[in-house]
Amino acid sequence: MNEEAVAPVIAVMLILAVVVTFFAAWNAYYVPSMKEQSEITHIRQVEIGFLKFASDINTAISLKDRLELSEPVPLGGGDFTFDPVKSGGELKVWDASPDGYLRINWTNRSDPDPAFPAHQSAEHHAGLVKISYTPTNNFWQNQGYVWSYGTVFVNNTERDLVTPLNVPSMADLTYDGLAGSLVQLEPGAYSSSGDCSVLILTMINIVPDPQHTTVSGNGNGQLVLKSTVNSEAAINTTSLNISINSPLYKFEETLKSNLTETAEDIQVICPNVRWYYPDPNEDTEIRMTFNPNLTLIRRTTQIKVGAY
């Protein structure tokens, strides 16, 4: 056998062995590492999007005006130059509670004369939404996010863990910021006798956009809020009932406490206003009566949230 003819064959085989080894190492270590790093960056962008949108919701609640705000949320990630395959995800918006966190109704008379019967208003309620991002075929770990009752939570579906993003534990949540801004009561005008002739009830109603509740895929998603304001006046109002309803005890207690303090302050300012709270440990309804009657103005800021 010609040794000179065998040598190139062996050299080629050695080169092929090196190439195969290189690609095996590439696929086994480098590619997964790069895709994992890219996915971590993607999840971080989702987190930033949720935090910014939470701030947008707070802005809309504070301004109580017409506006439109949006934040991008990338649905998929994990791609890089040598491997463009991406994971996916889903954005979803839904009602936090079908009955809302607050229900109000009032009575008023068509004539201020007590001889005329009082008329009960239709019931109005204000709600909140939940917003979630759920990953699909993630290259790192199945880490999603949820906005609920003013707080952004990290949701690790692999280990079935949910924890607030900006506080150490669930026990540290207070809900003071959100609960203190959702409902406000304040005098609007006074009569010559010093009684309140106008009482303004301002409340926030956050609802899902029925046309845009879910978006999924691996492209760029977007969370959008549209805020509108409307007012309704009820003259000769004799009473107002405010019922608090929430599956979260701490949120309910915080909102209840804020409303009670407000009702007490208004009773001091307005001699014609009385409030009744029969059982602070069990009752979730605040009842206010007005004598003489007053005009109740209800201002509702409706914030519609959609996933695009």
Side-chain angles (χ1 to χ4, degrees), residues 188 198-202 231-234 237 294-299:
V198 175
L199 185 66
I200 301 173
L201 170 64
T202 303
S231 297
E232 178 184 7
T237 303
L294 50 72
T295 296
L296 177 68
I297 297 177
R298 180 176 63 90
R299 293 178 180 168

Side-chain angles (χ1 to χ4, degrees), residues 137-175:
N137 297 324
N138 197 282
F139 295 106
W140 179 45
Q141 59 181 353
N142 290 326
Q143 180 170 306
Y145 292 89
V146 177
W147 183 92
S148 176
Y149 288 89
T151 301
V152 176
F153 295 87
V154 179
N155 181 18
N156 190 312
T157 57
E158 287 182 356
R159 291 178 287 177
D160 195 25
L161 295 175
V162 178
T163 184
L165 183 61
N166 292 326
V167 295
S169 67
M170 301 289 278
D172 296 301
L173 290 175
T174 61
Y175 301 103

Side-chain angles (χ1 to χ4, degrees), residues 103-114:
R103 297 190 304 274
I104 66 167
N105 59 66
W106 61 86
T107 57
N108 69 309
R109 300 179 185 276
S110 56
D111 190 287
D113 189 339

Side-chain angles (χ1 to χ4, degrees), residues 58-100:
N58 291 337
T59 298
I61 291 173
S62 299
L63 293 180
K64 298 176 176 62
D65 203 352
R66 296 177 61 91
L67 76 160
E68 182 173 337
L69 299 170
S70 64
E71 297 296 341
V73 178
L75 301 176
D79 56 316
F80 71 106
T81 304
F82 299 104
D83 191 334
V85 177
K86 300 177 68 174
S87 63
E90 179 188 63
L91 281 176
K92 185 178 180 181
V93 183
W94 72 99
D95 280 314
S97 173
D99 297 325

Side-chain angles (χ1 to χ4, degrees), residues 254-268:
T254 303
L255 184 56
K256 184 194 303 183
S257 175
N258 289 340
L259 280 173
T260 300
E261 291 177 6
T262 301
E264 289 175 341
D265 292 341
I266 290 177
Q267 183 174 253
V268 173

Side-chain angles (χ1 to χ4, degrees), residues 238-258:
T238 58
S239 67
L240 170 67
N241 297 325
I242 303 176
S243 299
I244 304 167
N245 175 49
S246 170
L248 297 179
Y249 175 77
K250 189 177 288 188
F251 174 84
E252 183 177 285
E253 286 300 299
T254 303
L255 184 56
K256 184 194 303 183
S257 175
N258 289 340

